[in-house]
Amino acid sequence: MPDPRWETLADILIDHSVRIKPGETLLIECFDLEDSTLPRLLVQKAAERGGIALVETRDARIVRELVLRSSPEAIAAWGRIDRARMDQVQAYLGLRGARNISEMGDVPAEKLDAYNALYQKPVHFERRVTHTRWCVLRLPNASMAQQAGMSTGAFEDFYFDVCTLDYAKMAKSLEPLVARMEKASEVRITGPETDLKFSIAGIPVVPCFGTMNIPDGEVFTAPVRDSIEGHIRFNTPTIYQGASFDGVRLEFQKGKIVKADCAGGDAEKLMRIFDADEGARYTGEWSIGCNPRVLNPMRDILFDEKIAGSFHLTPGNAYDEADNGNRSKIHWDLVQIQRPEYGGGVIAFDGVPIRVDGKFVVDDLMPLDAP
């Protein structure tokens, strides 16, 4: 008999995240899964609700070979075929069980650029994100537990604890933060090696409570494209395009990244990311993380961007829901944690601090800190 926690997670995904209705088609993409329990349950539950489930299984090692060996014309053909399928589905679940988060780390930059431009952008950014009800999540395995510095069993308990929250309750608790962000004009962020200001005036604000990511717990918007001024040092280790970076530091002038470096990682690869296209040096998202059960980084952005007391800033493509007009084939969430053990820091709206050292300091937001 499968672990009953998989049943709980499957119900959340079908009924809360993608909300399958009779006659709708759900695409389930499975990446490097070691266990078929969750996709089997999703197929069963979609059918019980009158939906149609399609299942695609992928191996990251094969994807690497396709990206590495294919011509731009071949990648474009792959993108056209998968986009045509995405055109016909109403819902999408991406189940990621990555065995090796660095699988793409040695793929040349020009190959990754072609993959991002000719596959990821048309299939996911332009179609899946904008025209389906979608949710992506990682599935626990030994590799993921190792990333988190935990035993496999302890990590599984942590995983289900943070992934099966009461997301309807979370939706309600995020409303005051949404209201404050909608009223705010200027954001200023200060902390160690950080002094950044930008406008969010007129940009929509989107609460996240299990409808696009599991786990969840963030509220995002986007900086006005040319408004960011100052500098920032991110203190959370990150993986992007298979490469590891620590201590990424960015300087902005009129919204554009004019200088970038990192304390750990390949500086040349870092600059290639920001040179991918014009939009890569501007930002497309800014978000406050507030999942009270996710506390420490593990080089997995689906978890790290939700860390209590954190925020993330995203060079690259903006989401349609909070669009500042920036377009790029990259979207790289970079996280800074502001709790005291990570150096502290302040977020202020229009000169008024709303969070200090990772804790909300205004009455209507304080409940977000509760576990």
Side-chain angles (χ1 to χ4, degrees):
M1 180 178 178
D3 187 326
R5 296 177 297 184
W6 286 118
E7 286 269 0
T8 302
L9 182 57
D11 284 331
I12 289 171
L13 290 168
I14 291 293
D15 295 325
H16 176 81
S17 300
V18 297
R19 306 175 298 286
I20 286 295
K21 301 179 182 67
E24 291 188 327
T25 301
L26 165 67
L27 173 60
I28 305 167
E29 273 195 317
C30 306
F31 299 81
D32 285 355
L33 296 195
E34 298 174 354
D35 185 292
S36 65
T37 300
L38 183 59
R40 286 189 291 109
L41 286 170
L42 293 172
V43 170
Q44 293 168 17
K45 292 177 183 296
E48 288 169 0
R49 289 149 180 79
I52 302 163
L54 306 177
V55 180
E56 172 85 10
T57 60
R58 295 183 184 267
D59 185 311
R61 295 166 297 180
I62 296 173
V63 172
R64 176 185 175 277
E65 291 301 320
L66 286 168
V67 175
L68 186 62
R69 312 296 175 187
S70 298
S71 66
E73 293 77 15
I75 293 176
W78 180 19
R80 285 194 301 272
I81 292 167
D82 279 10
R83 173 159 177 155
R85 179 176 60 180
M86 198 71 78
D87 286 341
Q88 300 179 64
V89 307
Q90 291 74 51
Y92 170 93
L93 287 170
L95 312 183
R96 302 174 180 175
R99 301 183 186 98
N100 179 2
I101 58 174
S102 299
E103 194 65 59
M104 305 292 280
D106 59 353
V107 177
E110 63 272 16
K111 292 288 189 177
L112 288 172
D113 285 347
Y115 176 61
N116 287 332
L118 302 174
Y119 184 88
Q120 292 288 82
K121 188 169 183 283
V123 177
H124 291 280
F125 288 160
E126 293 179 352
R127 190 64 198 178
R128 186 258 296 173
V129 169
T130 58
H131 290 84
T132 73
R133 298 187 303 278
W134 59 272
C135 186
V136 298
L137 65 158
R138 286 281 302 273
L139 270 62
N141 58 23
S143 175
M144 200 174 179
Q146 186 176 46
Q147 283 173 241
M150 301 171 70
S151 70
T152 304
F155 181 79
E156 287 181 357
D157 290 340
F158 162 76
Y159 176 89
F160 285 111
D161 186 42
V162 302
C163 289
T164 58
L165 292 174
D166 184 339
Y167 286 109
K169 180 180 178 181
M170 177 182 283
K172 190 72 175 174
S173 70
L174 293 175
E175 289 176 1
L177 180 55
V178 172
R180 282 186 175 267
M181 291 173 69
E182 287 176 338
K183 293 176 183 176
S185 178
E186 183 182 270
V187 176
R188 186 171 183 187
I189 302 172
T190 54
E193 297 188 71
T194 297
D195 192 347
L196 207 64
K197 64 179 180 180
F198 52 89
S199 173
I200 57 173
I203 307 293
V205 178
V206 181
C208 297
F209 42 85
T211 56
M212 290 181 284
N213 288 173
I214 296 287
D216 219 339
E218 64 171 297
V219 179
F220 76 88
T221 183
V224 173
R225 188 176 186 268
D226 61 355
S227 69
I228 304 183
E229 299 284 346
H231 60 274
I232 181 169
R233 175 79 72 181
F234 298 95
N235 59 10
T236 302
T238 180
I239 298 278
Y240 192 70
Q241 295 180 347
S244 298
F245 300 95
D246 294 333
V248 174
R249 184 183 187 277
L250 305 178
E251 291 187 17
F252 290 88
Q253 291 179 7
K254 296 181 179 179
K256 185 176 183 178
I257 297 169
V258 295
K259 186 176 180 181
D261 61 49
C262 55
D266 188 324
E268 186 177 342
K269 281 187 177 180
L270 179 73
M271 296 314 302
R272 283 203 299 264
I273 293 169
F274 294 130
D275 289 337
D277 52 36
E278 181 183 0
R281 285 182 176 261
Y282 291 84
T283 61
E285 181 188 357
W286 177 69
S287 182
I288 296 178
C290 45
N291 186 315
R293 297 183 185 176
V294 183
L295 298 176
N296 300 303
M298 48 180 280
R299 289 190 189 270
D300 186 302
I301 197 57
L302 289 179
F303 284 74
D304 293 353
E305 68 181 0
K306 316 303 190 317
I307 289 172
S310 77
F311 68 86
H312 60 272
L313 187 66
T314 308
N317 200 64
Y319 288 124
D320 281 4
E321 300 97 320
D323 195 0
N324 69 352
N326 198 45
R327 293 293 174 267
S328 176
K329 57 194 171 190
I330 79 160
H331 182 93
W332 187 9
D333 297 317
L334 291 164
V335 179
Q336 186 183 102
I337 306 171
Q338 293 189 307
R339 302 201 313 274
E341 61 268 36
Y342 288 92
V346 177
I347 296 175
F349 292 167
D350 298 320
V352 178
I354 60 102
R355 203 177 71 181
V356 176
D357 293 343
K359 293 288 188 181
F360 290 105
V361 293
V362 288
D363 290 345
D364 59 328
L365 301 184
M366 288 180 183
L368 287 172
D369 292 326

